[in-house]
Amino acid sequence: MGDIAIDQKTFRKRLKLLYDSWKANRSPLWESASALGIAVGSTSEDLRYLKSISLHLWLFGYELPDTVIVFTEKEMHVLTSQKKANLLQPLKEAAQEEAGVAVVLHVKAKGDDGGGAMEDMIAAAKEQSGGALTLGHLPKDQHQGALAALWGQKAAGSGAALADVSGGLADLFGVKDEGEVLNVKKAAFLAGKVMAHAVEQIEEAIDQEKKVKHSKLSELVEAAITEPTKIGVKLKAENCDIAYPPIFQSGGKFDLKLSAASDEAPLAQEGVITVAIGTRYASYCANIARTYIVDGSKQQEAEYGALLAAQSAAIAALTAGAPACDAYSAAHAALAGSGLPGLADRLTKNVGFAMGLEFRESHALLGPKNSTPVRAGQVFNVAVGLAGLGDAAAKDPALQSYALQIADTVVVRPQGPPEVMTAAAPKEFDKISYTLKAEDEEEEDARPEAFDEITNGLPGKKLRSDDPNYKSAEQLRREKQDELLRQKNAETLRRLTAQARGGDGSGARAAAGRIISQIQAYRSINDVPQHRELRIAVDSGAEAVLLPLYGVLVPFHITTLKSITSNQDNDHAYIRVSFNFGGGGGLGGGAYEPAQRYPDLVFLKDLTFRTSDVRHASKVVQDIKLLRSNVLSRDKERAERATLVTQEKLIRGKRVFRLPDLWVRPGLGGRGRKTPGALEAHANGFRYMNPKGEGVDVMYRNIRHAFFQQAENEIVTLLHFHLVDPIMMGNKKTRDVQFYLEVMDVVQTLDGGRRALHDPDEIEDEQRERDRRNKINGDFQQFVKRVQEMWERDLPDLNLEFDIPFRELAFEGVPHRSTVTVMPTVNCIVELTEMPFTVVSLEDIEVVNLERVGFNLKNFDMAIVFKDFTRDVLRIDAIPTKKLDTIRDWLVSVKIKYFESKLNLSWKPILKSIMEDPQGFVEQ
């Protein structure tokens, strides 16, 4: 005990929370207890994580065995040994300052049973409660040891009424602070990593056809939890523990209760396998469960899809203020609406429970009858399971019955959906299913032309193409594309039908700019500037132009002007001012708004002025055009800023990773010479800042895709972030932010002469460039590695990782103005070297059309059609024909449907017709 110290800051905060909760909620949660008596017996594995132990861990950070604590209105009495009293001594001042509570320490001497001190503590409690003492206790906590037993006797014989305060403590522990949530996140991170380790063990057993017992797999996984360094997790082993022994089940015997155990049966080589893992970090719990399906049936795929949708619905229902039963109702409704009869009846009795220091907080079950409101800061295990399922078509009787289960650890946030902390472990069907029986045949080398002559007439010789079951690579590709076409048509029809029911919202979008009828150049006639001469004048401050009409200068706001032109004839200049009118558009965009409000009025279309002062005419035209340009630019920037999503504030991390001397694209604006800056990785985002104080913050939660591209054939090494919501860079809105560093200096020799092949200076320069490139690439790699580890450790729910382009799949093309190298990645297709950047997420792509294929042309074009049919089709032109097969194979591998045409198609009318009649499009 002498080697540990209690965190006084945490103790202060939580002691105040305890007293606030107790005093404010005496009934029914605290059962009107006027004092709380909490006893902890001797340390025992069987007694860990009882509510009394949880109170110790929550309040002090440590378990204090053989200790009795009595909380009264104004005092906290503690009966313990001398060593523990010394540990608690520094808390006296903190308790008095924060909660107005005096800490009274009762030291139990050797040979003393502590009975006298207990009587004093009860007497103090009676005195402060006015004589009628109701002593709160925890009757379900069964402790070992003489001290705990004696306290039970003294409390029972004190004449005080005893009240069960389990509900009050459970409610107190329910809402977690940021420190507790961080511990849960670490436990969840460990659970996700251990689940990946469990999957490796399962895959190895199935791949090598090993007979591995469920109990053996449980032991291997438990060892990984208690010693996380074995699987590359950098968490302190002394803080890591199991919440329950890992559960592996397969072969037709399933029990979805957490009290189930891994039996001695071997892991099944096919069918359903369920894995449940509970972890602790610093005593805080996390839980994860996954189902893996080997050679599954269509029925199992459909049932799993319904289960996944039900869990997603249950998680989405856990919002602050909503009743806990909403999660169960949402899951049940999703199963009932899945179209699979009887599936909702197979749902487990509840879909989870709250967690914390206690693995299962029974007062906060996600069941159909619990109407307790969900609170921000609560942590839940959302576990949705289907028990008693069956597949009569299975040949093996042991595989005819099965169960499915998915569980994740989530934390409820004050606003928005809950944060899933175990999202790093995939649960999509294509990630958890395995097909071993029917493997596609690999493409073999084409035979030589003379092969037919060599084998012609030879007995017993058969060609592969003679096999009726043989399929060429092209046939296999077409079959996969046909299947994708059926899926894509069904998906497109569902999406467009849903959009048609809900409306596309296009009518709600207003044009950018200002409403003309609400604009004022001057509030009153007294504000109009007076001019001696009756000629055209510009007032930039009021954004107005004063035009002479019938001997008076009449002000017009610049937004009412459509254009201004001038021309010269002999000694005179003519100025023509055109106004917005019924059919025109202006700075406000769209139809002219006053003309819509007053359709019966006649609007002025244009005015022409003649002047002999040619110089003044030129200046006036120039001033008006400049004012109009400035106002247009400001209105555009204002409109863009108005559509920006408010970003969270950057939280500076305790450990900051830094990458210096980087340039940023797009530029930050500002004046003067551009200077490089440093990129820093903090707790919740990146911050880039240059010495001039110009910078930009990129929040991790706003990053949709992150890319790292080393310099190989390029002159820059870069980090690129494609964002969910755009941010302002200078005065422009952008969704792409890039930080880069040139790996070689661009040098031009002044004499223009050529150097010899083995010129020592040339060789030295090349070596210096290689060293610089390797160093820069190494620095970027180290930065990316550290950030990736931080994301996986602290923010696993974001599922962020740096994508690295596949250079072997690269092809040349023209997505914008010039020929560039386009490269696929795991999740995107990108071009990051030249601006404007090209970043296309594969999940946004509906279909790809390869155009101008044929006619022995050297090039073809690629048209990328997005799922959002209102979005312009992206064209990548002039792709070399030699890359056609590479692109076809890549599109098949990422499950994107592609078509081929000999001509370029006009996509706008095609997409318009599809949106107008989705059903007719699919039927055709």
Side-chain angles (χ1 to χ4, degrees):
M1 285 290 174
D3 297 333
I4 64 175
I6 295 174
D7 182 356
Q8 290 199 30
K9 183 178 179 182
T10 301
F11 172 78
R12 284 169 176 265
K13 179 173 64 176
R14 293 185 179 172
L15 182 66
K16 188 173 188 307
L17 282 174
L18 170 63
Y19 271 86
D20 288 347
S21 175
W22 175 30
K23 292 178 181 179
N25 297 290
R26 289 287 173 83
S27 180
L29 295 175
W30 294 93
E31 299 294 339
S32 301
S34 53
L36 309 176
I38 309 296
V40 173
S42 304
T43 303
S44 169
E45 285 295 318
D46 296 332
L47 299 179
R48 297 165 68 204
Y49 314 124
L50 300 176
K51 274 194 168 54
S52 50
I53 301 295
S54 297
L55 179 62
H56 279 216
L57 294 170
W58 181 77
L59 192 57
F60 305 121
Y62 302 97
E63 177 186 344
L64 304 179
D66 287 323
T67 301
V68 178
I69 305 177
V70 175
F71 298 92
T72 68
E73 291 278 354
K74 298 179 181 178
E75 293 174 339
M76 184 176 94
H77 293 262
V78 183
L79 171 60
T80 188
S81 65
Q82 183 65 59
K83 286 186 177 180
K84 300 186 194 75
N86 293 338
L87 177 68
L88 299 174
Q89 187 72 30
L91 303 181
K92 286 187 172 184
E93 184 179 349
Q96 188 66 51
E97 289 179 356
E98 192 67 33
V101 175
V103 176
V104 181
L105 300 176
H106 302 265
V107 178
K108 186 172 76 70
K110 289 185 178 179
D112 181 11
D113 63 357
M118 292 179 190
E119 292 174 357
D120 293 342
M121 295 162 71
I122 293 173
K126 283 184 176 180
E127 182 181 351
Q128 292 190 35
S129 62
L133 175 62
T134 301
L135 185 62
H137 72 140
L138 301 169
K140 293 182 180 179
D141 281 17
Q142 300 298 321
H143 287 274
Q144 298 175 356
L147 188 72
L150 182 59
W151 168 255
Q153 296 172 11
K154 294 289 185 183
S158 65
L162 298 180
D164 183 358
V165 294
S166 301
L169 285 179
D171 181 71
L172 178 64
F173 300 151
V175 176
K176 313 297 186 292
D177 59 31
E178 287 304 317
E180 293 177 290
V181 170
L182 180 60
N183 285 333
V184 175
K185 279 188 176 182
K186 290 180 179 179
F189 172 72
L190 176 61
K193 287 293 185 182
V194 171
M195 182 61 77
H197 175 66
V199 172
E200 291 175 2
Q201 300 297 322
I202 293 172
E203 290 176 345
E204 181 181 347
I206 295 175
D207 188 46
Q208 299 180 13
E209 298 183 355
K210 291 182 180 179
K211 289 190 175 181
V212 184
K213 295 180 180 179
H214 294 142
S215 57
K216 180 62 176 178
L217 289 169
S218 179
E219 291 172 6
L220 292 172
V221 169
E222 184 173 338
I225 295 173
T226 54
E227 297 183 44
T229 52
K230 287 184 176 180
I231 55 174
V233 176
K234 296 179 181 179
L235 293 175
K236 293 181 179 179
E238 60 266 27
N239 291 334
C240 301
D241 201 355
I242 62 169
Y244 57 87
I247 303 171
F248 287 78
Q249 300 179 94
S250 65
K253 295 181 180 179
F254 295 91
D255 183 356
L256 300 184
K257 296 178 181 177
L258 290 170
S259 57
S262 300
D263 59 23
E264 297 298 314
L267 183 75
Q269 297 291 307
E270 61 178 309
V272 173
I273 302 168
T274 62
V275 184
I277 297 171
T279 56
R280 289 183 182 271
Y281 183 84
S283 300
Y284 286 87
C285 301
N287 189 57
I288 186 172
R290 293 290 184 265
T291 298
Y292 299 97
I293 303 175
V294 182
D295 289 330
S297 63
K298 292 290 185 182
Q299 174 187 332
Q300 290 173 337
E301 182 178 355
E303 290 169 344
Y304 185 87
L307 178 69
L308 191 60
Q311 197 221 18
S312 299
I315 292 174
L318 289 174
T319 57
C325 57
D326 280 5
Y328 182 90
S329 301
H332 190 277
L335 292 172
S338 65
L340 300 174
L343 201 61
D345 299 333
R346 302 293 184 181
L347 182 63
T348 48
K349 292 182 179 179
N350 61 69
V351 294
F353 45 80
M355 291 191 301
L357 289 166
E358 296 179 66
F359 177 68
R360 187 174 186 268
E361 297 178 356
S362 56
H363 74 289
L365 292 178
L366 300 179
K369 298 180 181 179
N370 185 6
S371 59
T372 305
V374 173
R375 292 178 292 170
Q378 282 190 290
V379 173
F380 286 95
N381 165 43
V382 183
V384 182
L386 298 173
L389 299 173
D391 184 6
K395 295 180 180 178
D396 189 345
L399 303 178
Q400 289 180 355
S401 62
Y402 56 91
L404 304 175
Q405 186 181 40
I406 308 171
D408 282 292
T409 301
V410 305
V411 59
V412 180
R413 292 301 185 187
Q415 294 179 344
E419 179 183 350
V420 181
M421 293 186 282
T422 48
K427 52 188 176 182
E428 295 79 10
F429 185 79
D430 60 339
K431 302 289 178 61
I432 59 91
S433 60
Y434 300 84
T435 303
L436 304 179
K437 289 183 179 178
E439 297 285 349
D440 289 332
E441 294 183 21
E442 296 184 358
E443 182 182 1
E444 298 180 12
D445 295 332
R447 63 179 184 262
E449 293 180 2
F451 189 71
D452 292 337
E453 297 178 6
I454 296 173
T455 58
N456 188 27
L458 292 179
K461 297 292 182 181
K462 290 187 178 181
L463 302 182
R464 186 179 62 181
S465 57
D466 295 334
D467 184 352
N469 296 322
Y470 167 74
K471 295 180 181 179
S472 66
E474 181 62 28
Q475 286 175 312
L476 290 172
R477 194 157 57 198
R478 286 180 180 175
E479 287 182 2
K480 291 179 180 178
Q481 285 291 302
D482 290 341
E483 177 63 24
L484 279 175
L485 178 60
R486 287 191 290 273
Q487 295 176 5
K488 187 61 63 178
N489 281 341
E491 176 191 330
T492 303
L493 179 60
R494 284 196 303 270
R495 189 177 69 250
L496 293 180
T497 304
Q499 288 177 358
R501 290 197 196 104
D504 60 4
S506 59
R509 290 193 296 267
R514 292 186 272 181
I515 300 175
I516 300 296
S517 61
Q518 297 179 358
I519 290 174
Q520 284 184 334
Y522 303 101
R523 293 192 177 186
S524 69
I525 195 170
N526 296 327
D527 296 333
V528 180
Q530 301 297 320
H531 293 269
R532 294 182 179 178
E533 299 182 76
L534 195 65
R535 60 180 184 175
I536 298 175
V538 178
D539 186 353
S540 299
E543 300 180 351
V545 178
L546 292 97
L547 302 178
L549 295 176
Y550 298 106
V552 179
L553 282 177
V554 179
F556 292 86
H557 196 275
I558 190 66
T559 53
T560 63
L561 272 62
K562 184 178 181 181
S563 65
I564 182 167
T565 57
S566 68
N567 54 68
Q568 191 172 345
D569 182 16
N570 297 326
D571 296 333
H572 291 83
Y574 294 88
I575 301 174
R576 183 181 180 184
V577 180
S578 298
F579 297 92
N580 293 313
F581 67 104
L587 293 179
Y592 190 48
E593 185 252 344
Q596 296 177 343
R597 293 183 61 184
Y598 308 105
D600 297 330
L601 297 183
V602 176
F603 288 84
L604 190 63
K605 184 176 180 181
D606 57 55
L607 291 172
T608 302
F609 299 89
R610 189 182 73 164
T611 177
S612 58
D613 192 341
V614 177
R615 181 178 299 178
H616 174 70
S618 300
K619 184 178 183 304
V620 162
V621 171
Q622 183 179 354
D623 290 346
I624 293 175
K625 287 183 176 180
L626 180 61
L627 176 60
R628 189 175 187 277
S629 175
N630 291 340
V631 171
L632 177 62
S633 178
R634 285 199 299 269
D635 280 3
K636 184 179 179 182
E637 182 180 348
R638 189 183 300 114
E640 288 184 344
R641 288 187 182 276
T643 59
L644 291 177
V645 175
T646 303
Q647 302 292 328
E648 59 184 314
K649 290 187 178 180
L650 187 81
I651 301 174
R652 296 189 65 86
K654 294 180 180 179
R655 188 178 179 190
V656 177
F657 306 121
R658 194 169 186 271
L659 202 57
D661 301 324
L662 300 186
W663 299 90
V664 61
R665 295 191 289 188
L668 295 172
R671 298 180 179 179
R673 184 178 179 182
K674 306 301 181 187
T675 55
L679 180 66
E680 296 177 345
H682 292 277
N684 66 334
F686 293 104
R687 168 161 287 177
Y688 175 83
M689 190 69 67
N690 63 23
K692 296 167 63 177
E694 301 168 341
V696 64
D697 292 343
V698 179
M699 298 296 107
Y700 297 148
R701 292 190 181 278
N702 194 32
I703 297 175
R704 186 179 184 190
H705 299 293
F707 305 98
F708 167 47
Q709 182 174 307
Q710 294 187 107
E712 292 187 12
N713 301 320
E714 304 85 12
I715 64 170
V716 296
T717 297
L718 60 87
L719 299 177
H720 188 99
F721 302 104
H722 184 65
L723 307 180
V724 177
D725 297 310
I727 61 174
M728 295 298 292
M729 296 283 287
N731 58 356
K732 293 184 179 179
K733 191 163 62 172
T734 181
R735 262 197 172 89
D736 290 279
V737 183
Q738 184 180 110
F739 306 98
Y740 68 96
L741 184 59
E742 294 183 354
V743 299
M744 63 179 69
D745 298 322
V746 180
V747 179
Q748 182 179 5
T749 57
L750 298 178
D751 56 6
R754 294 184 179 180
R755 292 185 177 181
L757 178 62
H758 301 292
D759 188 338
D761 292 338
E762 183 75 14
I763 295 174
E764 184 179 346
D765 288 344
E766 290 178 358
Q767 183 61 43
R768 190 161 50 245
E769 286 180 0
R770 279 195 297 271
D771 293 342
R772 174 178 166 83
R773 180 173 63 247
N774 293 337
K775 182 181 183 306
I776 291 174
N777 287 341
D779 291 343
F780 271 72
Q781 275 184 332
Q782 186 69 14
F783 181 82
V784 167
K785 181 181 178 182
R786 289 174 174 174
V787 172
Q788 188 70 57
E789 289 175 352
M790 179 179 65
W791 284 347
E792 292 176 357
R793 181 182 65 250
D794 300 336
L795 301 162
D797 62 299
L798 298 184
N799 205 20
L800 278 176
E801 61 179 345
F802 280 96
D803 250 357
I804 299 177
F806 299 131
R807 293 184 180 273
E808 60 273 17
L809 298 177
F811 56 89
E812 304 295 316
V814 185
H816 296 290
R817 294 186 293 267
S818 59
T819 302
V820 293
T821 301
V822 181
M823 290 184 279
T825 71
V826 173
N827 301 306
C828 301
I829 179 170
V830 301
E831 187 286 307
L832 306 174
T833 307
E834 294 187 17
M835 291 185 69
F837 305 120
T838 301
V839 179
V840 179
S841 180
L842 299 185
E843 63 183 13
D844 293 343
I845 297 177
E846 178 77 0
V847 294
V848 169
N849 192 45
L850 306 178
E851 302 179 345
R852 296 196 302 118
V853 175
F855 300 120
N856 295 322
L857 298 176
K858 292 183 179 180
N859 301 310
F860 68 96
D861 304 328
M862 177 189 292
I864 299 175
V865 182
F866 297 100
K867 291 179 179 177
D868 180 3
F869 286 175
T870 61
R871 187 174 169 185
D872 289 340
V873 171
L874 175 66
R875 301 188 59 83
I876 303 178
D877 297 328
I879 304 172
T881 302
K882 63 182 180 180
K883 291 290 183 178
L884 182 59
D885 285 338
T886 301
I887 292 175
R888 284 170 174 164
D889 292 338
W890 170 68
L891 291 171
V892 170
S893 69
V894 295
K895 297 183 179 179
I896 291 179
K897 172 61 185 171
Y898 71 88
F899 299 92
E900 295 182 9
S901 63
K902 294 184 178 181
L903 300 174
N904 291 117
L905 301 181
S906 178
W907 282 101
K908 281 192 175 181
I910 293 174
L911 297 180
K912 183 180 179 182
S913 65
I914 294 174
M915 288 189 288
E916 289 174 351
D917 185 12
Q919 185 68 45
F921 161 72
V922 172
E923 290 174 356
Q924 292 174 9

